[in-house]
Amino acid sequence: MQFPLGDGAGPCPVCVDEREYVDWAGQRWTTPARLRDEGFRGEVREEVPGLWGVGTTPDLGIGQRALLVPGAGGNVLWDCTALLDDETVGRVHELGGIAAIAISHPHYYSTMSAWSREFGDVPIHVHAADLGWVPRGAEVEPWSGTEHEILPGRALVHLGVHFAGGAVLHWADGPDGHGAVCAGDIVTVVPDRRWVGFMYSYPNLIPAHPDVVRRAVRTLSGYRYRSLYGAWWGHVVQGDAHPAVVRSAARYLRHLGLDPDSERR
């Protein structure tokens, strides 16, 4: 999470929230210039044919990568990474630039304002339920409700998992014409990529509420998609993503001692 210079005297509100934690050695702050001096650099490469990812090497923070989701009207930058260097900017421009930024939840706000400025003050779309997490001085375009189309064929879908405003991006065509969901870790792709998971807190192992999971699965059932892209390189479900979400939710509910079919009655 990027804050204005001088705001780093106290703890980061994201770190002290119960979903995260402060490093055992204490809160640490850095700057983009220091990261570059320490050898961090941007990395742009294909996640799958037709879909490019943007990450940082070596891994920074939790090591997530963003996605450049193409379509009519330009690319959407889905989620965000901390480091924005000249090489990354140049490569993203070669790939068509950025027409809009959409963020799944506050853990990936990162340097969203810097990315917006670099690509012509493009809009940053954040669900209104998460506005309280937006850092001072950041300009965002809040949205509300269940769906918000930001560019043709790419719509934000509110699921409310992980954070109150937790959202995914439905890409109507997907890279193969069969639809895709860019999910960050709102619906997270687990190491066994036949499955996904649902959590309120990952490091502190707090499960998502069953009612939230049921509602999220019902909402996603209204969308056509065969692939689902998580927040990290290679965390992808391809071919049967929708059935994977449904069976994963059923497994999750069973292990909480609940009837996975109860919401259908």
Side-chain angles (χ1 to χ4, degrees), residues 107-174:
H107 289 162
Y108 300 145
Y109 287 174
S110 196
T111 54
M112 60 183 182
S113 295
W115 280 87
S116 173
R117 288 192 298 271
E118 185 63 45
F119 290 90
D121 293 321
V122 298
I124 303 169
H125 300 275
V126 169
H127 196 276
D130 287 341
L131 281 179
W133 295 96
V134 174
R136 177 176 63 85
E139 295 186 5
V140 300
E141 292 195 6
W143 63 283
S144 58
T146 301
E147 180 181 310
H148 176 56
E149 186 176 60
I150 53 177
L151 284 171
R154 283 145 299 167
L156 290 166
V157 181
H158 178 237
L159 300 184
V161 180
H162 199 27
F163 273 78
V168 300
L169 180 72
H170 180 248
W171 180 13
D173 291 335

Side-chain angles (χ1 to χ4, degrees), residues 153-233:
R154 283 145 299 167
L156 290 166
V157 181
H158 178 237
L159 300 184
V161 180
H162 199 27
F163 273 78
V168 300
L169 180 72
H170 180 248
W171 180 13
D173 291 335
D176 57 4
H178 295 286
V181 169
C182 302
D185 55 0
I186 302 303
V187 177
T188 196
V189 180
V190 297
D192 182 348
R193 293 179 295 183
R194 298 172 298 170
W195 302 86
V196 299
F198 315 87
M199 294 291 280
Y200 176 77
S201 167
Y202 292 93
N204 298 323
L205 302 179
I206 307 172
H209 194 283
D211 291 346
V212 172
V213 173
R214 287 178 169 131
R215 185 167 59 248
V217 173
R218 284 198 301 269
T219 299
L220 278 177
S221 69
Y223 295 86
R224 182 180 69 104
Y225 63 99
R226 287 208 328 196
S227 55
L228 187 144
Y229 302 94
W232 293 273
W233 296 111

Side-chain angles (χ1 to χ4, degrees), residues 190 192 195-197 246-256 260:
V190 297
D192 182 348
W195 302 86
V196 299
V246 173
R247 67 174 176 262
S248 296
R251 180 176 75 170
Y252 178 88
L253 293 168
R254 282 197 302 272
H255 279 277
L256 291 177

